[in-house]
Amino acid sequence: MKLATLAAALMSGIALSGCVGLVDAQSKCSARSASYLTMWDCIRGRVAAGTAGQMNNDLGVRYLAVGDLLAQSVRSGQMSDAEAKARLAIELERGNSEFNRRQAASSPSLTRCTNTNGVVNCLSF
C-alpha cells in the first residue's frame, strides 16, 4: 500500500473516531516543541479552550491523567521527553481504538437476506 494511501486511510479512521480534535492538538503541539512539558502545556491549553475534541468521558479523563503522570515523570527526571511523547502517542492510539470499538459495538447493523431457490443467504453490514 502506498504511503499516501495508508496516511489517508489512517486519517479517515481517526476522523471517524471522533477524536480528530485531540489528534490534531497532540500533533500540532508536538511539532512545536521538542520538550514534553511544553507540548503537554500546549495540549492542556487546547483542551481548556475546547479545541481538542470531546474530553468529558472516561477515555478523555484517562488521556489527561496519563499525560499529567508523564509530565510528572519528566519533571522528576524519571523519563525523557522522547519516551514521554512516545507513551502519550500510544495512549492516544489506545483511546482511539477503544472509542472505535465502542462505537462499532453500539452501532446497529443491517442484514440483507435473499432467497435463491430455497437457499437463504444473508449479508450483514
Side-chain angles (χ1 to χ4, degrees), residues 42-57:
C42 174
I43 293 170
R44 275 290 201 174
R46 291 186 69 163
V47 168
T51 60
Q54 291 290 341
M55 299 298 292
N56 59 345
N57 57 55

Side-chain angles (χ1 to χ4, degrees), residues 29 32-44 81:
C29 292
R32 290 182 188 155
S33 177
S35 161
Y36 176 83
L37 296 175
T38 303
M39 179 196 78
W40 185 240
D41 286 344
C42 174
I43 293 170
R44 275 290 201 174
D81 287 310

Side-chain angles (χ1 to χ4, degrees), residues 80-125:
S80 70
D81 287 310
E83 184 179 357
K85 282 185 168 188
R87 287 186 182 208
L88 190 64
I90 290 168
E91 178 57 29
L92 181 62
E93 176 58 32
R94 189 207 63 75
N96 281 343
S97 294
E98 177 61 17
F99 181 88
N100 288 336
R101 186 195 65 73
R102 289 178 185 179
Q103 287 296 103
S106 67
S107 297
S109 64
L110 178 63
T111 302
R112 180 175 176 231
C113 296
T114 57
N115 184 342
T116 308
N117 298 326
V119 177
V120 177
N121 292 306
C122 294
L123 175 66
S124 296
F125 45 98

Side-chain angles (χ1 to χ4, degrees), residues 8-45:
L10 287 172
M11 287 310 293
S12 67
I14 290 168
L16 290 174
S17 75
C19 300
V20 72
L22 186 55
V23 170
D24 183 58
Q26 185 167 322
S27 176
K28 286 182 177 174
C29 292
S30 181
R32 290 182 188 155
S33 177
S35 161
Y36 176 83
L37 296 175
T38 303
M39 179 196 78
W40 185 240
D41 286 344
C42 174
I43 293 170
R44 275 290 201 174

Side-chain angles (χ1 to χ4, degrees), residues 1-3 6 16 25 36-37 62 69 74 80 82 87 105 110:
M1 183 181 281
K2 291 184 178 180
L3 187 57
L6 178 60
L16 290 174
Y36 176 83
L37 296 175
R62 178 185 161 100
L69 287 172
V74 170
S80 70
R87 287 186 182 208
L110 178 63

